Amino acid sequence: MLGDDAELTAAVYAAQGGDETAFRTVYRSVQPRLLGYLRTLVGEPDAEDVASEAWLQIARDLGRFRGDADRFRGWAARIARNRALDHIRLRGRRPAIGGDESELEGRAADADTAGEALESLGTGRAFALIAQLPRDQAEAVVLRVVVGLDAKSAAGVLGKRPGAVRTAAHRGLRRLAELVTGPQASSGTDPPRRRGAHTPPTGVGASASVTQLRSGTQKDM
């Protein structure tokens, strides 16, 4: 078990015993990624409110949870997703990310696909591009990359088969790679730059998303 996972697992156990400091540790560890997932479902304006509702349920039901850090992330993501879908139904609007939720078939993602997909992106731009994906692909990418779930745990959140989640993530990452590199990437040429073409940024701002991306998608390959 990795150091961060061991720390989160220990904090969850302590929080179940009533340790408020441990619960704050759990919250600080999970909330940023959970909030990123919710932004893809309900959009920026409502994500904080839905996250608050999710944490109220997490705190209420924590005593019944059983498992380690990975299972906790999946459990928390499933609660957050249910709260987001309730929020969407109450407001009678579509989710923030579009497309269908049909089952997908095909090959699982290669371990290095993730690194190629968002290599040069900072977190903000990555989420803007993820929002352009079909819903099934966007959710799979965010759960695998941002929340850090393996395919089995992500499948439990989405109610799908692990193979379908792997394929959705693979297709989503390939589409993101196309969005990042632009049309000239497949032609092998270097035509003059067009107005509005993507120019991948470089530097420290890109490192956070790349680290999360690689670790999240390689866990169960």
Side-chain angles (χ1 to χ4, degrees):
M1 184 179 293
L2 298 177
D4 289 347
D5 283 356
E7 181 181 351
L8 177 57
T9 299
V12 169
Y13 289 157
Q16 287 178 315
D19 187 329
E20 294 184 5
T21 301
F23 187 83
R24 285 195 292 271
T25 298
V26 172
Y27 178 85
R28 285 194 299 266
S29 174
V30 176
Q31 166 69 356
R33 296 181 179 196
L34 205 63
L35 191 60
Y37 177 42
L38 287 170
R39 283 177 180 137
T40 68
L41 291 175
V42 299
E44 180 68 38
D46 297 330
E48 292 275 3
D49 289 342
V50 176
S52 296
E53 295 172 8
W55 279 104
L56 285 173
Q57 182 175 345
I58 290 168
R60 185 190 69 205
D61 297 344
L62 185 60
R64 297 201 293 269
F65 170 77
R66 296 292 181 271
D68 59 9
D70 279 339
R71 287 183 179 273
F72 181 82
R73 292 188 190 100
W75 181 71
R78 187 162 58 250
I79 288 173
R81 187 176 195 264
N82 288 339
R83 297 289 70 76
L85 295 179
D86 288 345
H87 181 85
I88 290 165
R89 279 191 291 267
L90 284 172
R91 283 165 178 60
R93 59 182 178 82
R94 294 173 63 83
I97 50 180
D100 60 50
E101 295 187 63
S102 59
E103 289 287 336
L104 299 177
E105 296 179 355
R107 297 177 58 190
D110 295 328
D112 62 350
T113 301
E116 297 169 357
L118 299 181
E119 178 69 31
S120 301
L121 293 185
T123 304
R125 189 175 172 216
F127 273 111
L129 292 180
I130 289 170
Q132 299 179 38
L133 298 176
R135 179 175 178 176
D136 60 329
Q137 295 178 18
E139 285 202 75
V141 167
V142 173
L143 286 172
R144 299 293 311 280
V145 172
V146 180
V147 182
L149 303 184
D150 59 21
K152 183 177 179 181
S153 297
V157 174
L158 299 175
K160 298 190 175 198
R161 299 189 304 271
V165 173
R166 289 191 188 97
T167 302
H170 175 64
R171 293 182 179 180
L173 289 167
R174 289 188 63 181
R175 176 58 184 151
L176 288 172
E178 294 169 2
L179 293 172
V180 170
T181 57
Q184 61 260 43
S186 58
S187 67
T189 62
D190 189 18
R193 188 178 303 280
R194 299 174 309 192
R195 179 182 300 177
H198 291 297
T199 306
T202 58
V204 235
S207 61
S209 60
V210 174
T211 302
Q212 291 180 339
L213 192 57
R214 286 177 171 159
S215 63
T217 52
Q218 292 178 0
K219 292 176 69 175
D220 66 334
M221 304 308 290

